[in-house]
């Protein structure tokens, strides 16, 4: 009896051992399956043209066409550095728009000496020092457009980093250095060549623009007279740059791919060149008025009547 119990125990033990081993040991197929490749493949300066854009939460997916004919998708996140360049319509010069202007400023009344022929609309940024509103000496003002190669140095992106350009209140940039060295109180010159970047707070039909700025030497605002045929450039960043995208715009992408076989990537830098002049968002194209249409109809009717012979001429 004890021998039979011993045999049954051994059988039960070995069956349990085999069953447990089958759960723990991977199958042959599982052992042959390669591990997932988590390394990302860098993509550098991918030239493309814009086709479409789809929002995805806080992100955007850009559909772009490559010169080879391939269609790629690019994920743009809030961490992606986006910069766009182009020209803009004068209709975009309105209250709330940020512009950059360079010229000779009279410090006494905070007005520009001469009308300006060129202004640049830009997107303000606390992170990108090159798009920070302020008043700078024109010979040392930070560039509004920064290429992806320059962005990689992070000099223009991080607060506390190397600031490109100094404010006009930072010492001898506008003050007379000789007086300061002689122990006298520095004199403020009557005029100074500056680049002013601020928000439009008022714009008149005459072309006079008021910019709101904060600076110890300027009492709240700067007045600028625009020439009638003023050139308006645009250097935008972030989501504002994406909102103005139109089919055919040129986009240079730098980022990473998760899989070399897939035509998709995540963007680190997005450099956009607008193909057409920027117009206010939602603006409809101009169409001929009803009056013009009615004038054309009247003209056609008059021409047709002149072509018909009169009754008197028919009688003769």
């Amino acid at each position: 009896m004890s021998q039979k119990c011993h045999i049954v125990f051994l059988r039960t033990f070995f069956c349990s051992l085999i069953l447990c081993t089958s759960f723990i040991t991977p199958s042959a197929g599982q052992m042959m399956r390669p591990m997932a490749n988590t390394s990302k493949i860098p993509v550098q300066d991918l030239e493309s043209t814009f086709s479409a854009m789809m929002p995805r939460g806080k992100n955007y997916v850009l559909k772009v066409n490559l010169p080879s004919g391939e269609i790629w998708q690019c994920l743009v996140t809030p961490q992606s550095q986006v910069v766009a360049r182009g020209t803009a319509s004068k209709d975009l010069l309105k209250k709330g728009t940020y512009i950059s202007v360079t010229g000779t400023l009279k410090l006494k009344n905070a007005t520009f000496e001469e009308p300006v022929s060129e202004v640049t609309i830009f997107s303000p940024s606390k992170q990108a020092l090159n798009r920070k509103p302020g008043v700078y000496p024109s010979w040392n003002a930070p560039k509004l457009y920064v290429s992806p190669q320059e962005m990689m140095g992070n000099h223009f992106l991080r607060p506390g980093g190397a600031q490109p350009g100094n404010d006009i209140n930072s010492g001898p940039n506008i003050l007379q250095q000789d007086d300061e060295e002689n122990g006298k109180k520095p004199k403020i010159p009557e005029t100074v060549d500056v680049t002013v970047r601020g928000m439009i707070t008022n714009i008149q039909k005459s072309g006079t623009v008021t910019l709101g700025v904060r600076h110890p030497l300027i009492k709240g605002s700067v007045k600028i007279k625009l020439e009638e045929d003023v050139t308006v450039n645009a250097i935008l960043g972030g989501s504002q740059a994406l909102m103005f995208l139109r089919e055919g715009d040129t986009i240079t992408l730098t980022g990473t791919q998760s899989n070399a076989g897939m035509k998709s990537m995540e963007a680190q830098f997005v450099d956009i060149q607008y193909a057409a002049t920027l117009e206010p968002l939602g603006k409809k194209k101009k169409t001929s008025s009803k009056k013009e249409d009615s004038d054309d109809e009247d003209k056609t009717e008059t021409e047709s009547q002149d072509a018909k012979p009169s009754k008197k001429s028919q009688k003769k």
Side-chain angles (χ1 to χ4, degrees):
M1 187 72 179
S2 59
Q3 188 176 2
K4 287 183 178 181
C5 291
H6 183 67
I7 294 172
V8 171
F9 173 76
L10 290 175
R11 284 179 180 176
T12 306
F13 175 76
F14 283 113
C15 287
S16 301
L17 186 62
I18 293 170
L19 187 63
C20 291
T21 306
S22 65
F23 279 109
I24 296 171
T25 306
S27 63
Q30 289 174 327
M31 292 179 69
M32 295 296 292
R33 187 181 301 166
M35 293 180 65
N37 184 14
T38 56
S39 61
K40 293 187 176 182
I41 304 165
V43 178
Q44 186 76 25
D45 296 336
L46 184 69
E47 299 286 344
S48 65
T49 54
F50 175 74
S51 176
M53 180 173 66
M54 298 152 284
R56 184 180 292 176
K58 294 182 179 181
N59 305 326
Y60 294 92
V61 176
L62 303 183
K63 187 178 178 182
V64 297
N65 299 322
L66 272 58
S68 63
E70 294 181 340
I71 299 174
W72 279 48
Q73 288 190 347
C74 175
L75 179 67
V76 181
T77 69
Q79 287 72 42
S80 304
Q81 300 295 335
V82 182
V83 63
R85 296 165 289 156
T87 57
S89 165
K90 287 174 64 177
D91 294 337
L92 285 172
L93 297 177
K94 55 186 178 181
K95 285 184 180 180
T97 301
Y98 282 82
I99 64 171
S100 175
V101 187
T102 298
T104 302
L105 179 69
K106 296 179 182 178
L107 290 174
K108 187 175 181 180
N109 56 5
T111 59
F112 272 52
E113 269 193 335
E114 301 290 338
V116 297
S117 60
E118 185 176 6
V119 300
T120 302
I121 296 172
F122 73 98
S123 304
S125 174
K126 293 180 180 179
Q127 285 74 36
L129 295 174
N130 60 303
R131 287 190 277 114
K132 183 179 178 182
V135 183
Y136 306 90
S138 58
W139 63 87
N140 200 25
K143 298 184 296 181
L144 277 175
Y145 170 70
V146 182
S147 67
Q149 289 77 15
E150 292 171 308
M151 285 184 185
M152 288 181 182
N154 285 330
H155 297 302
F156 295 84
L157 304 176
R158 291 181 292 119
Q163 176 155 355
N166 298 312
D167 191 273
I168 65 170
N169 195 40
S170 61
N173 283 324
I174 68 165
L175 303 179
Q176 294 184 8
Q177 192 172 7
D178 294 338
D179 289 341
E180 191 173 2
E181 290 175 353
N182 294 331
K184 299 178 182 179
K185 185 178 180 181
K187 294 179 182 179
I188 298 176
E190 293 182 1
T191 62
V192 60
D193 294 334
V194 295
T195 294
V196 179
R197 290 173 183 161
M199 184 180 71
I200 297 177
T201 58
N202 188 32
I203 184 167
Q204 300 176 2
K205 292 182 179 180
S206 61
T208 301
V209 176
T210 303
L211 292 183
V213 294
R214 291 182 179 180
H215 194 275
L217 299 179
I218 298 170
K219 297 179 180 179
S221 63
V222 171
K223 287 190 176 180
I224 302 157
K225 175 73 175 178
L226 302 179
E227 291 186 357
E228 189 174 349
D229 57 346
V230 61
T231 300
V232 184
N233 299 312
I235 297 180
L236 307 178
S239 59
Q240 186 181 20
L242 298 177
M243 292 301 102
F244 282 95
L245 275 172
R246 295 292 181 269
E247 190 173 355
D249 291 341
T250 302
I251 304 180
T252 303
L253 299 165
T254 298
T256 56
Q257 265 186 305
S258 298
N259 191 321
M262 297 180 67
K263 298 173 183 179
S264 62
M265 63 177 289
E266 182 175 336
Q268 184 182 6
F269 301 111
V270 181
D271 195 349
I272 302 167
Q273 177 67 57
Y274 295 122
T277 300
L278 301 185
E279 297 286 349
L281 295 174
K283 183 179 179 181
K284 296 180 180 179
K285 293 183 179 180
K286 292 182 179 180
T287 56
S288 57
S289 62
K290 291 182 180 179
K291 185 177 179 181
E292 291 175 343
D293 293 341
S294 61
D295 289 344
D296 292 339
E297 290 176 1
D298 294 340
K299 187 177 179 181
T300 306
E301 187 177 349
T302 304
E303 290 174 351
S304 62
Q305 287 178 355
D306 292 341
K308 292 180 181 179
S310 63
K311 291 182 179 180
K312 291 183 178 179
S313 61
Q314 287 178 352
K315 287 181 180 181
K316 290 180 181 179

